[in-house]
Amino acid sequence: MPPPLRVVQPPPVPPQRPVHVEPTEFQTEFVGSRGRLFGLALWTGLLTILTLGFYRFWMKTRLRRWYWSGIRPGGLPLEYTGTGIEKMMGFLVAVVVMAFYIGIVNLVLMFVSFSLLANNFAAYAVSLAGVVPIWFYARYRARRYILSRTRWRGIRFGMEPGAWGYAGRALMHWVITILSLGLLWPRMTFWLEKYRTDRTSFGSVRLVQGGRWQMLYRPFLDVAVPVLGTVILFAYMRFTGDGIDGNLPLFWLLVPLGLWFSIGIVNYSVKATKRLADTKTAGDIGLIAQPRTGTVFRIYSVGYLLTSIAMLVPLVPLTILFGLMQIQRMQAGLGEASDLAHLFDLPRWLLIIVGLVLYFGVFLSWSVLRHVFVTMPLWRHYAQTITVTGVPGLTNVHQRARDTSTEAEGFAEALDLGAAI
Amino acid sequence: MTEVPTTEPLFIPALWLDGETAAVHEVLLILEDDANGILILEGKTERDAWPYADLRIVPDVAGPDQMILSVQGEETARLIVSAHDAGLIRARAANLRRRPPLRQKGKLAAWALAAVGSVALIIFGLVPLMANQLAAFLPPAGEKALGDATLTQIRQALDETGYGELPLCETTDGLAALRTIEARLTANADLPIEITVQVLDHEMVNAFALPGGYIVVFRGLLEKAESPEEVAAVLAHEMGHVSARDPSRIALRSAGSIGVLGLLFGDFAGGAMVLFITNRIIQADYTREAEANADLYAHDLLRRSDLPPSAIATFFERLRAEGNEDDTSILRHFMSHPALGDRIAAARAATPEGQVTVPLLEPAEWKALKYICD
Ligand SMILES: [Zn+2]
C-alpha cells in the first residue's frame, strides 16, 4: 500500500543526486573482492566444521547472498533472499523420505544382487538407476527454489512447479542420447533448458526459450570429433595389431586428442550457455551473452592449479605427522628408541587433535580456495559479459506472489547435488 | 502536527525499489533528528516513511560502495544508499543488524524430530530386522560371493604397501595342522555352510568371521597363543558367528545403514570419516548381542570335541595381563559385553569338572602352525 501522498517543502540546497539514467541496454558489472569472499568462505566453512556440518545451510545462504549481490546489471544488484532455516527444513523433509528409500532399497538390492547374481555390481547399478529420477526431480526443485529466492530491482523471479515432468523428460532425453551414442546430446541440452526456461518468470513476465537445438551443434563438434578420433585410433591399433607399446607414435596422438576434447567440452558449455542466453526473452527484454572459452578454460586450469598448490599448506604437515607416527610405531615394534621417537612423546590425544585439525584444514582450504580461485572468477566472467537488452520493457514488469513451498532444495542437498554454491 | 524542525534536516540521495514494479525511483531521504524515521521523497511527493527502529541492513553484500536497506513489514521494498551516507543512517537506526525472528519454530522442531526418528527407526529397527530375516535366505553361493568381496577388501585395506593384497599364510605343514584343528571342530558342528579357515600375514592379534563361512585368523593371534587348544577355542567362537549367520547380517545391515548415514551427514568436510566411525559403532553394537551366543556355541562345541572351553580364558587372561591393548584388537572384539571378566569366568564355568580332553596337535604340528607364515 502506498502511503498517503502529501506535498512537503523542497530541500533548501538540493544535494547531488545519483545519476541514474535508464538506457535501452544494461551492461553488467561485478563488484566484490577476493579478500571479502575469502573471509566469508573461511569463517562459514569453519562454523560448518565446528557444527558437524549443520551450519552448511547458513554457509550456503551467506555465500549466495554475496555472489548474487556482486552482480549488478545496470548498476543494481541481484538479491538472494533464501534463508538457512528453510534450507534445513527442506533437508529434514528430504531425509524423512529418502532415508526409507535409500536404507531399505539398498539393503534389498544388495540381497537380491548377491542371491541371484552373486556379485554387488548389479546392486550398485540398480540402486543408482532408482535414484536417477529423484536426482532430476531434485535438480528442478533446487533451481525453482533458487529462482524464487532471487530478486532484481525488487522483483522476484519464479518458476512453476513441474519437477516430476522434468524428471520424466530428462530420463527420456537421456535414453535418446544414449541410443544415439551421444550424438543427440545438444538436443537434450536444448530441450531440458527450454522446459526450465519456459516455466520461469521475472515478476509478471514469462521467459521464453527461443532458438532451435541445432544451433548447439557446431560447438558440440569439438567434443564429438576428438571422441570419434580416439575411438578410430583404438580401433585401428586393435585392427592392425599395433599394441600400445607396438606403435608408440600413434599412441602419442592421444595427447592432442585429449587436449582437444577438454577444450571442446569447456567450449561446448560456454557456447551453449551463450546461445541459450541470447535466445531467451522476457517480453521485450532480452540478453546478449559473450563469455569467452579461452577465459573460462584459463580460469579452470589456473584456478585449480592454484587451489591445489595452496592445499599443500595443511597437506604437507599432515603427511609428515602421519609419517612420523608410522616411524614411531615401527620403532616401538622393533624395540628401538630414537630421538625422533622422543619428539613424539607428546600425549596421544594431542597428536590426534593436531591430526584432526590438519585433516579438516585440507577440506576447508580446498573449498575456500576453490571459491576464491575458481567459482568467483567464473561468476565474474559470466556476469561481466552479459548485456540486458530491451530495458524499456521493464516498465511492464510487476511483482509476483511469493513461492511458499517449504521443501527448498532439500532433496538436492540430501542427494549431494549442492555443487559449489 | 508541529512541523518546526529543531535542527536542519539532512537530505540523502538514494534509489528506492518500491517492491511492486521494476521501476527504480530516484529519491531523497529526509533524516530529521526529532523524527522517528526516514521520509522517502520522490520529486515533491512523499512516497513512504520508514521508522528507524524497523530499518534493517541487507547482509553479506559484495559491493562496498552501497548500503542496501529493507524495512520490517515490507518484504520487497529496498533503499540503496551510497556508502558515503551509510554512517548517517547507522547513527540513527539502532536495529540495523537485528535478525528476523525465527518463524515456524514448532514446525521445524517437528520435522527435525521426524527426521531423527525415521533415521533411527530405519537404522536401528527396520534395517537390522530385514537384515536378520534376509540373511537366512541368502543362498550359499551368494553368501560366498559376499564373503569373497569382503575378504578382498579387508586384504587390500590392511596391506601396508598400499597396493596389492595382504598375503595368505600357507606353508604345507602349517596348513595340515590347521586342517587338523578344523576337522576336529567341524566333525562335531552342524554348520549351515562349509567353512574355510585362512591365516593372514599381519601382526594384529585378531580373528573374525566373514559371510560364506570364511574364518580369518591373523598371524599375531597364532604367535600369542601358547597351545593349539587356545586357537581352537577362538575358531569355535568364530564358528558360532558363522552358525548364526552374523557376518551376512552385518554385511547386509551396513549396506542399508551406510547410505542413510551418508544422507544425514551430507558432503561436509570429512563426512566420510564420520560415516565410517558411526558405522563402526553400529556394528560393534550389533555384535554385542551376537557375542554371547557365539560364546555359548563355542563352549558347547569345544566340550563335544573333547577340548577345554577354559582355553579361551587362559588366552584372554594372558593378553589382558600383558596389557598391550594397542595391538590386541581381539580384546576389543571380545571386550564388548558381557564384560571380558564375565566371559573368562563363563568359559571356566563351562568346563566340566574332570573333563577328559584329547590332545589336539603333536608338538611338531603345533610348531608348524605357529610358523605357517614363514
Ligand atoms: Zn565374536
Side-chain angles (χ1 to χ4, degrees), chain A residues 354-377:
Chain A
V354 171
L356 272 179
V357 167
L358 289 171
Y359 177 79
F360 282 116
V362 172
F363 286 94
L364 190 61
S365 52
W366 173 256
S367 79
V368 169
L369 295 169
R370 201 177 44 169
H371 272 296
V372 173
F373 292 129
V374 183
T375 316
M376 188 269 210

Side-chain angles (χ1 to χ4, degrees), chain B residues 61-76:
Chain B
V61 165
D65 56 330
Q66 293 181 343
M67 178 164 85
I68 304 176
L69 295 170
S70 66
V71 67
Q72 293 291 94
E74 285 186 49
E75 210 202 315
T76 46

